[in-house]
Amino acid sequence: MKRIMIIGSGGAGKSTLARQLGELLQLPVHHLDAYYWKAGWNPTPNEQWDSFQEKLVLEEHWIIDGNYGRTLDIRIKRADVIILLDFSRLITVYRVIKRRIKYHGKARPDLNEECPESLDFEFIKWVWNFRKTRTPSIIQKLRDYSDKHIIVLKSPKEVKTFLAQAKTLGAGIFEKGENFS
């Protein structure tokens, strides 16, 4: 196990889990949002974004968090482990509102410093509908990668249990005998 990708709705805790796993397993962590969004919330052009990710996944060890559905296959093909955070919409919407309040006027640690936290109706709607509109296609896509170790965590409690076991087992947490999905 050298390469872990973490996906899920906004507000599910992808970046937090990435940081915690990175510390536990001593792996470099890459937050896709920090690379994609340039100053003033300007997106990276598609060709440049694709090229960046193709180079990033060639690194020997990594944890990458973020969705970016159009380029999901770039990361899946190189990942050893895929963690899907599949939380309820109440949890994820609550969390995005909470972080908007917490980081009012400043950037989150997993974002470009020149992208102060913001929140709009479209993003809340995207988070609210993620399980209905995005998760089924993600799960379908993951079925095409049966050679990958796929872990689905459905609640903060499951994440906490997973991290406790990772603390005890280290990289052994990803052995096929461990089943979190």
Side-chain angles (χ1 to χ4, degrees), residues 20-21 23-25 159-174 180:
Q20 292 168 327
L21 270 181
E23 290 173 16
L24 285 171
L25 304 176
V159 170
K160 188 175 181 179
T161 300
F162 173 77
L163 284 168
Q165 291 191 1
K167 192 171 188 173
T168 302
L169 299 172
I173 190 73
F174 301 113
F180 286 89

Side-chain angles (χ1 to χ4, degrees), residues 80-159:
D80 301 311
V81 176
I82 301 161
I83 301 172
L84 170 61
L85 299 179
D86 184 23
F87 291 7
S88 78
R89 59 177 47 167
L90 292 175
I91 290 172
T92 56
V93 168
Y94 167 77
R95 285 179 168 184
V96 297
I97 293 169
K98 180 180 168 185
R99 79 179 178 205
R100 170 60 174 95
I101 293 166
K102 179 178 180 180
Y103 292 104
H104 178 73
K106 54 188 174 186
R108 298 189 323 254
D110 55 312
L111 278 173
N112 181 325
E113 289 182 13
E114 297 173 3
C115 293
E117 183 62 23
S118 66
L119 188 61
D120 60 30
F121 178 73
E122 284 304 309
F123 184 65
I124 291 174
K125 185 175 154 186
W126 181 81
V127 171
W128 183 259
N129 291 316
F130 190 89
R131 278 184 114 184
K132 181 179 177 185
T133 61
R134 306 283 185 198
T135 302
S137 61
I138 290 171
I139 290 171
Q140 184 61 44
K141 182 178 284 293
L142 294 179
R143 287 188 179 121
D144 295 337
Y145 293 93
S146 59
D147 61 320
K148 307 295 181 182
H149 188 114
I150 298 169
I151 299 167
V152 179
L153 301 171
K154 294 190 168 281
S155 70
K157 183 178 179 181
E158 285 187 14
V159 170

Side-chain angles (χ1 to χ4, degrees), residues 31-51:
H31 304 293
L32 290 181
D33 282 347
Y35 300 117
Y36 181 76
W37 295 107
K38 304 303 178 200
W41 290 99
N42 290 305
T44 299
N46 284 348
E47 188 175 302
Q48 185 181 348
W49 183 235
D50 296 359
S51 177

